[in-house]
Amino acid sequence: MGGDHGPRCVVPAAADALRRNPDLHLLLVGLRQPLLDEVERHALPADRVTLHFCTETIEADDSPASMLRGKRDASMRVALELLRDGAADGCLSAGNTGALMVLSRSLLGMLEGVERPAIMAALPVAGKPCHVLDLGANVDCSARQLFEFALMGSVAVSEMYGLPSPRIGLLNIGHELNKGGQQVREVSELLRQCASLNYIGHVEGDGLFRDQADVVVCDGFVGNVVLKASEGLAVYLQQEIRQALANSLLLRCMAPLLRRALRPVTQRHDPTAYNGASLLGLPKVVVKSHGAAGEQAFAAAIDYTVRACQAGLPQRIAGRVAQVDRSL
Amino acid sequence: MGGDHGPRCVVPAAADALRRNPDLHLLLVGLRQPLLDEVERHALPADRVTLHFCTETIEADDSPASMLRGKRDASMRVALELLRDGAADGCLSAGNTGALMVLSRSLLGMLEGVERPAIMAALPVAGKPCHVLDLGANVDCSARQLFEFALMGSVAVSEMYGLPSPRIGLLNIGHELNKGGQQVREVSELLRQCASLNYIGHVEGDGLFRDQADVVVCDGFVGNVVLKASEGLAVYLQQEIRQALANSLLLRCMAPLLRRALRPVTQRHDPTAYNGASLLGLPKVVVKSHGAAGEQAFAAAIDYTVRACQAGLPQRIAGRVAQVDRSL
């Protein structure tokens, strides 16, 4: 059980999710004592929770080799094995993203017709998420892979959020057709030819925050950098504004009023509510929580995982990929 | 004379820059009538301004072929020819970035030892700029080219801002050594081996806003997307906050007080003051202004161009590249 906070955050979040989802059953996988302590403290219902103890955890600086061949009893591996063997419908982890990706591929394999998995998450824009993929699973991507990301993103957003025909954009450095490299042009052509996709064309960096598309496709290097830069900028600007307001005595006195006025903004952009990134392209539901997620954010990621399982996401994606492959 | 506003913005900005820089002489290149009208309106000093009239301008959707072979009398081309022929020390344009890049390379050639030009501009972070390159001149870059960008950025920041040993970072999707693709690892190795560079290692997206490095190197696709996404997010958050505050009657009444409290923040991040992006790697000073720049922002870009000329930037870069090549 990984992430920055481990069972101290995951277990109360589990208690919360169990209260809200009456049909939910949870398998918790982690080191014995810390897990037992927390489960006892939060009085989880014994009939709806199964505990699996393991002796190891994967750390941020573990090498891919040690993830794959060492640490046979790491909580992340055990959880994925339980998923593979049918003991669970989905797997959620706040641990090392690279490890989750590598272990998922190795233990679960890939969906037929999908070359590479992709990580998809939402940028909260005016209460209306803009889903971006890939966010770091693949540093370099072929045109075909980016095309698959678009298909998978379209299915995921359509099934999980009830959008019948999500607008699909391709991240690029200009909206004109002749902009970007050879690869962007190739993907663009594939996307334009796919009648079942609502492809709207190129989206520039600022377009991510202008409600231009519901799903934006890019390679994992660009996606990861943009996601982290956006998080970094938002945090930085908040600090700057807070500091400036703190310098004024009158505004310090008015802080409660200001907070109330700004509440709609903070609520609409609360990263807590948007926690949960899908690893798409696998034959089972695997979800990554932000490593720094607190209790509320982790509970949101559990809800997200439940929604992905209920939507039967992997099967939906497999069906759509097969359909498109037949029509090509 | 391009950009969104043309002579109506450029000419008053020129008048302002001439007042502030007593040794400055300007060559203004543009369509006759609009240019003459503005020059007359703003009473530019005739002895410090030379006008060059042309009959064409390059548009945002012109193809590279038409830029290079058509439009022989476009203002951008004429300005670069004047630069090439020694009539000017530097060239500043608010026009089409791609055209400026293509025409500059074609008319001026490259500095010896530099394979490709790069566009560098500053992200304003807490009044301390973080310079990023490349911002869109090169979609794909080799390790050697990224290494050259680091050298050129280091020289530019050191010469123009008086930083003796700028901290150089490489944009990546993880700060660990084993993160990123093959190419990132190759560049990292080249940078580590270069004793004359103050290479600090990998910088993630959020590191751009954490004062980790003075210069951050990446390929033009990533740089362009991150720059535009940051601009888009900043604009978007401003709108959201403004809207939320406008919904409160009391806060509307307190707007002047709020504005005063927030003035240090807006001043430290004023994009106007940071207008001006260098095209590095050319044998002459070429600077790009934001296309949407207003009068004040364009005046800032003129000052930036003057500083680059005074620093003898191309010669400094050439010297450093030759020195490093000898030591390899």
Side-chain angles (χ1 to χ4, degrees):
Chain A
M1 201 164 271
D4 299 353
H5 309 300
R8 269 185 318 180
C9 153
V10 170
V11 175
D16 182 34
L18 286 164
R19 273 192 296 274
R20 278 178 295 101
N21 300 277
D23 297 330
L24 181 62
H25 187 106
L26 290 174
L27 285 71
L28 302 180
V29 189
L31 301 176
R32 174 181 287 269
Q33 210 48 55
L35 185 51
L36 275 178
D37 289 351
E38 291 298 324
V39 166
E40 201 166 310
R41 186 195 320 264
H42 293 278
L44 294 196
D47 57 330
R48 295 175 60 203
V49 173
T50 312
L51 302 181
H52 287 264
F53 303 121
C54 57
T55 56
E56 294 174 298
T57 50
I58 288 176
E59 308 299 334
D61 51 359
D62 276 340
S63 71
S66 96
M67 294 165 195
L68 279 171
R69 285 181 290 277
K71 299 208 172 177
R72 312 299 294 190
D73 200 35
S75 54
M76 189 187 284
R77 169 184 278 272
V78 173
L80 287 166
E81 285 170 346
L82 287 165
L83 177 67
R84 178 196 60 195
D85 300 340
D89 296 310
C91 172
L92 168 63
S93 167
N96 179 326
T97 312
L100 188 63
M101 180 58 69
V102 165
L103 282 173
S104 297
R105 277 188 74 174
S106 146
L107 293 170
L108 309 174
M110 292 295 300
L111 277 180
E112 207 185 310
V114 180
E115 285 184 25
R116 294 256 280 268
I119 303 176
M120 184 182 84
L123 293 176
V125 181
K128 197 160 182 258
C130 173
H131 303 268
V132 183
L133 77 169
D134 172 38
L135 291 175
N138 311 280
V139 172
D140 298 306
C141 302
S142 70
R144 164 74 202 187
Q145 284 156 3
L146 289 167
F147 173 70
E148 288 171 6
F149 296 171
L151 270 184
M152 297 197 291
S154 179
V155 175
V157 168
S158 153
E159 297 293 333
M160 285 180 70
Y161 299 91
L163 273 183
S165 184
R167 297 163 299 167
I168 310 294
L170 181 63
L171 196 59
N172 198 5
I173 62 172
H175 58 271
E176 301 89 353
L177 272 183
N178 62 352
K179 284 290 176 77
Q182 178 59 28
Q183 195 207 34
V184 164
R185 279 193 287 271
E186 275 177 45
V187 192
S188 217
E189 194 50 39
L190 286 172
L191 291 169
R192 239 191 312 276
Q193 283 167 2
C194 183
S196 68
L197 275 181
N198 180 10
Y199 176 54
I200 60 148
H202 299 161
V203 168
E204 294 190 72
D206 52 343
L208 294 169
F209 301 99
R210 290 189 175 162
D211 190 25
Q212 293 181 348
D214 302 305
V215 178
V216 174
V217 173
C218 56
D219 73 44
F221 192 97
V222 177
N224 187 284
V225 166
V226 166
L227 181 77
K228 286 189 181 155
S230 303
E231 286 174 357
L233 177 57
V235 167
Y236 166 72
L237 286 178
Q238 267 173 30
Q239 286 167 346
E240 286 279 304
I241 291 173
R242 199 171 294 139
Q243 184 58 46
L245 296 178
N247 287 342
S248 154
L249 178 63
L250 183 55
L251 288 174
R252 273 209 305 281
C253 301
M254 293 191 55
L257 183 68
L258 270 172
R259 257 199 298 276
R260 198 164 63 229
L262 291 176
R263 196 171 298 148
V265 181
T266 48
Q267 275 172 352
R268 294 207 296 174
H269 302 89
D270 182 9
T272 305
Y274 287 88
N275 187 32
S278 283
L279 272 63
L280 301 176
L282 301 165
K284 303 267 185 174
V285 170
V286 179
V287 173
K288 170 71 174 70
S289 156
H290 205 295
E295 196 180 312
Q296 239 188 313
F298 199 85
I302 299 179
D303 290 351
Y304 178 92
T305 312
V306 169
R307 210 153 61 235
C309 292
Q310 284 169 342
L313 212 50
Q315 295 73 38
R316 299 284 180 176
I317 289 173
R320 181 72 166 274
V321 169
Q323 193 184 21
V324 167
D325 277 347
R326 274 197 303 275
S327 71
L328 280 182
Chain B
M1 200 165 271
D4 299 354
H5 309 301
R8 269 184 320 179
C9 154
V10 171
V11 174
D16 182 34
L18 286 165
R19 272 191 296 274
R20 279 178 295 102
N21 299 278
D23 297 330
L24 181 62
H25 188 106
L26 290 174
L27 284 71
L28 302 181
V29 188
L31 301 176
R32 174 182 286 270
Q33 209 50 55
L35 185 52
L36 274 178
D37 288 350
E38 291 298 325
V39 166
E40 200 166 314
R41 186 194 321 264
H42 294 280
L44 294 195
D47 56 330
R48 295 174 62 201
V49 174
T50 313
L51 302 182
H52 287 264
F53 302 121
C54 57
T55 55
E56 293 174 298
T57 51
I58 288 176
E59 308 299 334
D61 52 358
D62 277 338
S63 72
S66 94
M67 294 165 194
L68 278 172
R69 285 181 290 277
K71 300 208 172 178
R72 311 299 294 192
D73 201 35
S75 54
M76 190 188 283
R77 170 184 277 271
V78 173
L80 287 166
E81 285 170 347
L82 287 165
L83 177 67
R84 178 196 61 194
D85 300 341
D89 296 312
C91 172
L92 167 63
S93 167
N96 180 326
T97 312
L100 188 62
M101 181 58 69
V102 165
L103 282 173
S104 297
R105 276 188 75 173
S106 146
L107 292 170
L108 308 174
M110 293 294 300
L111 275 180
E112 205 184 311
V114 180
E115 285 184 25
R116 295 255 280 265
I119 304 176
M120 184 181 84
L123 293 174
V125 182
K128 199 163 179 251
C130 173
H131 302 268
V132 183
L133 76 167
D134 172 38
L135 291 175
N138 312 279
V139 171
D140 299 306
C141 302
S142 69
R144 165 73 203 188
Q145 284 156 2
L146 288 166
F147 173 69
E148 287 171 7
F149 297 172
L151 271 185
M152 296 196 292
S154 179
V155 175
V157 168
S158 151
E159 297 294 333
M160 285 181 70
Y161 300 90
L163 274 182
S165 183
R167 297 163 300 166
I168 310 293
L170 181 62
L171 196 60
N172 197 6
I173 62 172
H175 58 271
E176 301 89 354
L177 272 183
N178 61 351
K179 285 290 176 74
Q182 179 59 28
Q183 195 208 34
V184 164
R185 279 194 287 272
E186 276 177 45
V187 192
S188 217
E189 195 51 38
L190 286 173
L191 291 169
R192 240 190 313 276
Q193 283 168 2
C194 182
S196 68
L197 276 180
N198 180 12
Y199 177 55
I200 60 148
H202 298 162
V203 168
E204 294 190 71
D206 52 343
L208 293 169
F209 302 99
R210 289 189 175 162
D211 190 25
Q212 293 181 348
D214 303 305
V215 177
V216 174
V217 173
C218 56
D219 73 45
F221 192 97
V222 178
N224 186 285
V225 167
V226 166
L227 180 77
K228 286 190 181 153
S230 303
E231 287 175 357
L233 177 57
V235 167
Y236 166 71
L237 286 178
Q238 267 174 28
Q239 285 167 346
E240 286 279 304
I241 291 172
R242 199 171 295 139
Q243 184 58 45
L245 296 178
N247 287 341
S248 154
L249 177 63
L250 184 54
L251 288 174
R252 274 210 304 281
C253 300
M254 296 192 55
L257 184 67
L258 269 171
R259 257 199 298 277
R260 197 164 64 229
L262 290 175
R263 196 171 299 147
V265 181
T266 47
Q267 275 172 353
R268 294 207 296 175
H269 303 90
D270 182 8
T272 305
Y274 286 89
N275 187 31
S278 282
L279 272 62
L280 301 177
L282 302 166
K284 303 268 186 172
V285 169
V286 179
V287 173
K288 169 74 174 71
S289 157
H290 205 296
E295 193 180 313
Q296 240 189 312
F298 199 85
I302 298 178
D303 290 351
Y304 179 92
T305 312
V306 169
R307 211 154 61 235
C309 292
Q310 284 170 342
L313 212 49
Q315 295 71 37
R316 299 285 180 175
I317 290 174
R320 181 73 165 275
V321 169
Q323 193 184 23
V324 168
D325 277 348
R326 272 197 304 275
S327 72
L328 282 181

